[in-house]
Amino acid sequence: QVQLVESGGGSVQAGGSLRLSCAASGYEHSTYCMAWFRQAQGKEREGVAAIDTRGTAGYANYVKGRFTISRDNAKNTLYLQMNSLKPDDTAMYYCAAHQFCFYRNNAPRASPTDFAYWGQGAQVTVSS
């Protein structure tokens, strides 16, 4: 049974940094496409970043240059390093997994309908 558990959320001031982790179990983590999504209150869930089994990453324009997705297959863990945080980044952040990635412009895409397995989420709050 696939399990994804996020950690590392919290509150930070604008300009600060946070690192989210997602511990994976119940499947062969190294063979799965992984991604981060977020959902702000009253808004639809949106993709943040995705990473394939080779480590190739794709980012949404609104986080490009500020966020970095990475994976440690030996630890079955996915990460999201978030720098230069803005109040607009406030949301519940979810990690997700799927057996394979879909690609856009040669980079894995983070589209909610592409992912079958989801964690429970970690809250990130950025104050101005």
Side-chain angles (χ1 to χ4, degrees):
Q1 182 179 355
V2 174
Q3 272 200 313
L4 301 169
V5 180
E6 300 92 338
S7 62
S11 297
V12 65
Q13 287 194 323
S17 298
L18 282 173
R19 188 175 82 155
L20 300 180
S21 299
C22 173
S25 61
Y27 68 102
E28 188 57 50
H29 173 73
S30 64
T31 67
Y32 274 52
C33 183
M34 302 295 297
W36 288 99
F37 294 83
R38 68 186 186 185
Q39 187 166 17
Q41 199 163 5
K43 295 188 177 180
E44 292 188 355
R45 191 168 297 189
E46 61 183 12
V48 173
I51 186 168
D52 67 14
T53 58
R54 298 168 297 173
T56 302
Y59 296 92
N61 286 335
Y62 35 83
V63 303
K64 201 172 290 185
R66 299 188 298 123
F67 290 12
T68 302
I69 188 173
S70 62
R71 64 193 298 165
D72 185 335
N73 291 332
K75 296 182 178 179
N76 290 343
T77 303
L78 177 73
Y79 301 101
L80 184 69
Q81 178 66 45
M82 304 182 292
N83 298 330
S84 302
L85 282 160
K86 306 174 182 179
D88 284 350
D89 295 319
T90 295
M92 186 73 78
Y93 282 71
Y94 299 90
C95 72
H98 195 66
Q99 289 91 333
F100 51 87
C101 280
F102 293 88
Y103 290 81
R104 179 187 296 129
N105 297 327
N106 298 316
R109 75 182 189 194
S111 178
T113 55
D114 294 344
F115 287 80
Y117 305 104
W118 294 83
Q120 294 300 306
Q123 179 66 38
V124 171
T125 303
V126 185
S127 58
S128 56

